[in-house]
Amino acid sequence: MIKLGIIGWRGLVGSVFLNRIKNSFINKHCEIFLFSTNKILIKNNVFNAFDTKILLNMNILVCCQGSDYTKNILKKIKTKKWKGYWIDSSSFLRMNNESLIVLDPLNKNLINKSLKNKKFFAGANCTVSLALLLFKNFLNLNLIEWISSSSYQAISGAGSKLISETIGEINSTKNLQTNLLSLEKSIKLSFNKKIPMVFNAKPWIDKKVNFGQTKEEWKSSSEASKILGEKINIDSNCVRITSLRCHSQYFLFKIKKNLHLNNIYEILNDKYVYLVKNDENHSKNILTPYNVCGKLKIFAGRIKKSLFDNKIFSLFSVGDQLLWGAAEPIKRFTEILLNFIL
């Protein structure tokens, strides 16, 4: 049996990953070990995530603990000549030359080639995975000239801490007056100098990289290009909203030839995409984060041709950032890796 260790299994991504592998090919061929950084939980069948002796005995380690943990522990087990495979959900390894970003519907050929000489693998940024899956057929047909995106990202993308803070903010506003002006004044008094997430949007995610661009926005083109193995032009603006676990994205994109709107629908139609009719009823009732939660498909709608350029189109998409945005790519890669090892 292959020894598979899962680190960070209680977190948002880790718990979804653990749920996805139940009754799967992975569960049948692996002896699963759970690791925790919480001392209270380290007992019975839960092991110390800082105990390198136990970690070194694993054939595969799936880490959903975050960049700081990976940066600390991976260095230690590498110096001890660990022979296993490390699969990471955080951003730490993504742009490292030793690693490959895995998204098998887009780069299975690169994955198969790298299995012979790479030991470190990472899932992509959530909005990158969701965007590339949506545009998969356009990319395969070499139709994309450029993409401009605006992402409206769920609070789960910032972890359980922001979810707890936002729920606390919601609870603190329950007894406030519903008159708009009174409510606005009460909220400002309640939160004083703190900028709340509730009833708000925050148009800055992660730290500044360059030219006023945030790291989250920089990932769009850089990570996508590494996944595809070639340069792709994606310009993005990332905003945090109070959606729970689904990221929405508005795309403006230019293609390399004149196509009818019906052709765009035909190309988008894919097993990973659910197309939503562009009318008021379907858009309001289907194309929403609330409706998409827990679903594997990327929902796409509001598909339109530009009034000013026949090669420019726009659309709006919604995808579960804990599934295809995080846990699903590493779950699928783990299956690919097992097939390679066995």
Side-chain angles (χ1 to χ4, degrees):
M1 291 284 279
I2 301 296
K3 292 181 179 180
L4 169 64
I6 303 173
I7 306 153
W9 54 278
R10 292 175 65 246
L12 294 173
V13 178
S15 59
V16 173
F17 174 80
L18 200 59
N19 185 60
R20 291 291 298 151
I21 67 172
K22 286 180 181 177
N23 305 315
S24 71
F25 176 81
I26 297 169
N27 222 27
K28 292 175 183 176
H29 293 278
C30 292
E31 183 181 0
I32 294 174
F33 296 79
L34 301 178
F35 290 84
S36 178
T37 56
N38 189 327
K39 292 181 181 179
I40 298 171
L41 296 171
I42 300 168
K43 54 186 177 181
N44 300 328
N45 294 321
V46 179
F47 299 91
N48 186 349
F50 295 102
D51 188 337
T52 56
K53 288 183 180 179
I54 304 175
L55 292 172
L56 287 166
N57 285 323
M58 298 295 109
N59 302 111
I60 303 170
L61 285 168
V62 173
C63 183
C64 306
Q65 187 62 44
S67 289
D68 289 340
Y69 174 85
T70 301
K71 185 177 182 179
N72 176 24
I73 294 297
L74 189 55
K75 184 178 180 180
K76 291 179 180 178
I77 63 175
K78 279 174 70 178
T79 59
K80 295 183 179 182
K81 309 298 182 183
W82 179 57
K83 302 296 184 182
Y85 296 86
W86 184 284
I87 307 168
D88 207 284
S89 69
S90 75
S91 63
F92 178 70
L93 280 175
R94 289 177 192 156
M95 300 308 292
N96 189 304
N97 289 333
E98 288 186 284
S99 70
L100 182 77
I101 304 175
V102 294
L103 187 62
D104 69 280
L106 276 298
N107 68 345
K108 194 167 185 179
N109 287 339
L110 283 176
I111 289 171
N112 289 334
K113 289 177 183 177
S114 68
L115 286 171
K116 299 172 184 177
N117 53 37
K118 288 189 184 294
K119 296 289 185 178
F120 310 116
F121 301 88
N125 171 266
C126 42
T127 56
V128 173
S129 293
L130 295 169
L132 290 184
L133 276 171
L134 180 65
F135 285 101
K136 180 174 77 70
N137 292 339
F138 283 94
L139 294 165
N140 289 340
L141 294 168
N142 193 28
L143 282 172
I144 295 294
E145 186 166 321
W146 53 256
I147 298 172
S148 177
S149 73
S150 291
S151 64
Y152 308 96
Q153 299 188 26
I155 54 175
S156 59
S160 56
K161 184 174 182 290
L162 184 59
I163 293 175
S164 298
E165 288 178 359
T166 306
I167 291 171
E169 291 171 2
I170 292 169
N171 289 334
S172 71
T173 63
K174 279 183 178 178
N175 298 320
L176 297 179
Q177 297 181 51
T178 54
N179 174 276
L180 177 61
L181 296 180
S182 299
L183 179 61
E184 182 186 40
K185 184 177 179 180
S186 297
I187 288 171
K188 286 181 177 178
L189 289 172
S190 297
F191 294 105
N192 196 8
K193 294 180 180 180
K194 179 182 180 292
I195 304 298
M197 189 69 247
V198 67
F199 305 131
N200 203 7
K202 297 185 178 181
W204 188 283
I205 301 175
D206 215 328
K207 61 185 179 182
K208 180 181 176 180
V209 179
N210 50 43
F211 307 112
Q213 184 185 50
T214 69
K215 188 176 180 182
E216 185 74 8
E217 293 158 353
W218 170 81
K219 292 172 184 176
S220 296
S221 187
S222 58
E223 287 190 18
S225 297
K226 185 172 181 180
I227 290 167
L228 298 172
E230 60 183 13
K231 176 69 175 176
I232 180 171
N233 296 314
I234 304 177
D235 198 6
S236 67
N237 186 64
C238 300
V239 179
R240 182 79 66 203
I241 61 170
T242 48
S243 168
L244 186 59
R245 62 179 278 179
C246 286
H247 291 347
S248 303
Q249 296 187 80
Y250 168 79
F251 295 100
L252 191 69
F253 60 101
K254 186 172 185 179
I255 57 177
K256 296 177 180 178
K257 60 172 72 174
N258 288 320
L259 291 177
H260 191 273
L261 187 61
N262 289 340
N263 299 129
I264 301 300
Y265 274 93
E266 289 169 3
I267 296 168
L268 282 168
N269 191 26
D270 189 86
K271 65 180 179 179
Y272 303 109
V273 177
Y274 181 85
L275 293 173
V276 179
K277 191 175 180 181
N278 188 16
D279 62 28
E280 182 179 2
N281 180 55
H282 287 82
S283 297
K284 283 183 176 180
N285 294 302
I286 299 175
L287 192 63
T288 67
Y290 178 84
N291 185 62
V292 177
C293 279
K295 294 182 173 67
L296 275 169
K297 289 201 173 189
I298 317 299
F299 282 44
R302 303 308 327 279
I303 303 163
K304 307 185 292 290
K305 177 177 275 195
S306 169
L307 298 175
F308 315 109
D309 191 318
N310 286 331
K311 293 182 181 178
I312 294 178
F313 294 83
S314 62
L315 64 84
F316 185 81
S317 74
V318 185
D320 191 317
Q321 77 92 9
L322 292 177
L323 284 170
W324 266 117
E328 193 63 14
I330 59 175
K331 177 255 185 184
R332 288 169 62 104
F333 172 72
T334 305
E335 291 176 332
I336 293 170
L337 178 58
L338 282 173
N339 275 307
F340 174 75
I341 295 171
L342 292 171

